[in-house]
Amino acid sequence: MSQKWVETSVGLFILAAILGMLLLAFKVSDLSLYGEHDTYTVFAKFDNIGDLKPRAPVTIAGVKIGQVVSINLDKALYKATVTMRIKARDNNIPTDSSANIVTAGLLGSNYIAITPGFETAFMQDKGVISETNSAILLEDMIGQLIFNSKKGDKDDEKV
Amino acid sequence: MMTAIQKLGRSSIQLCGNVGYAGLFLIKTLVRKPRPIKGAPLLIQELYSIGVFSLPIILVASIFIGMVVGLQGYNILSKFSATEQLGQLVALSVVRELGPVVAALLFAGRAGSALTAEIGLMKTTEQLASMEMMGVDPLWRVIAPRFWAGVISLPLLTMIFCAVAVIGGHVIGVEWLGIDTGAFWSNMQASVDFHLDVLNGIIKSVVFGFIVTWIAVYQGYATEPTAAGISRATTRTVVYSSLAVLGMDFVLTAIMMGGW
């Protein structure tokens, strides 16, 4: 077993490990090379965030433009302050846009959908989205449905 | 009664002594002036016999583990008709837990036991003592390259393990069970975070590599110089390092998942 073969196979071993690492980084975890300096922060206050969690996507028209960084309670207003990091490339969000918490599919996780407004001024770093809609809780909706259908039955009886 | 208490005391004093010896041994091995020109060929030789020779077992084990997780996950997820999430399930379980832990266990069985037996036989046949007679420090010549090779090899093996296991899951999920390729990868990418999942897995494997190789070289160095002593030391290496890996894995996971 010559020294050359030993060194070559160690080199191949390290190359294989680097290849594995690259696959894990780019194919498995979809590491983007955007650092924090390529993003800007936007806040929004919600009455109820439902099941929203940090790292949830932020979308416009279904396209992911950023993600939720942290969720805190605003002690003065009893509202949830959601901090979002948006890609610097998508810097043309009108200031009167509204943020909604929606659910992916029937049982999917929650994410934030931003509906653009009509203002010509755009959201800056540390800007606040003032118009928000809370998460729609499935339980509340089912409750409402049952309540409405019962009312409908009673109306039928009267007639 | 008294003898039982005395036994307990003696064995705990011995345990403390052994831990202290192992720590001193590690410090003596690591804290020294680096000699890169003379040390590098030794390190490469050991990377070859520790790292490259562990590749076949790691490759075979990882592809089967990826495929098994894929199959089991598919059967469970199909109950909830959420089979598209298979990529996420395979990638997260492999990258966070199975990859570092199983690679470390296999490494302890494949490379750790070999290290202990090799160093133990060197000690039994008094090669280490004769090195000292010639003025060559066996800690530098024999132990240090093996220790560093182990610490470097295990993270590299873990990266290969995780990548191949994900490919194994892909083979089962997409090629065999017919999940859509795009859904498989995009669900995986949406849920796996590079820092929180992949890097933490690598940190785990560095810690495991440190522990397993430390136990292996120390057990070899502290072998009783008999044939039976070598066999006992080899067994101890595998048992202790497997238990240490599983225990440390829980501690590390608790720290990383924010339990503390």
Side-chain angles (χ1 to χ4, degrees), chain A residues 19-125:
Chain A
L19 272 181
M21 188 67 199
L22 287 179
L23 187 119
L24 287 178
F26 294 108
K27 188 82 184 175
V28 173
S29 69
D30 198 21
L31 176 72
S32 56
L33 296 175
Y34 296 113
E36 274 189 36
H37 55 281
D38 285 324
T39 57
Y40 64 103
T41 311
V42 170
F43 302 101
K45 290 194 197 309
F46 291 92
D47 290 332
N48 190 343
I49 55 161
D51 204 21
L52 190 74
K53 292 200 174 67
R55 284 169 63 191
V58 178
T59 62
I60 288 181
V63 180
K64 186 179 170 183
I65 58 160
Q67 64 177 3
V68 174
V69 184
S70 65
I71 300 168
N72 300 302
L73 183 67
D74 186 329
K75 276 188 176 169
L77 298 169
Y78 299 107
K79 284 187 170 185
T81 308
V82 175
T83 313
M84 294 171 266
R85 198 180 286 151
I86 314 276
K87 280 184 209 159
R89 205 157 49 93
D90 304 306
N91 57 355
N92 57 343
I93 303 172
T95 47
D96 63 341
S97 303
S98 65
N100 312 297
I101 298 179
V102 286
T103 311
L106 199 56
L107 297 170
S109 55
N110 286 6
Y111 64 96
I112 293 185
I114 293 178
T115 314
F118 301 98
E119 205 61 56
T120 47
F122 294 134
M123 203 61 90
Q124 298 297 316
D125 187 30

Side-chain angles (χ1 to χ4, degrees), chain A residues 1 5 9 25 27-29 55, chain B residues 48 189 191-194 196:
Chain A
M1 211 172 309
W5 165 241
S9 55
K27 188 82 184 175
V28 173
S29 69
R55 284 169 63 191
Chain B
Y48 178 71
Q189 290 166 355
S191 61
V192 180
D193 185 87
F194 183 71
L196 288 174

Side-chain angles (χ1 to χ4, degrees), chain A residues 141-159:
Chain A
M141 234 158 71
I142 294 172
Q144 206 121 41
L145 202 71
I146 293 171
F147 182 71
N148 282 346
S149 68
K150 272 186 183 161
K151 220 166 67 181
D153 290 348
K154 274 179 193 164
D155 290 349
D156 289 345
E157 280 165 19
K158 271 179 197 167
V159 172

Side-chain angles (χ1 to χ4, degrees), chain B residues 85-100:
Chain B
Q85 304 289 336
L86 187 67
Q88 168 182 352
L89 187 142
V90 171
L92 281 183
S93 52
V94 163
V95 167
R96 278 189 191 161
E97 290 295 334
L98 284 174

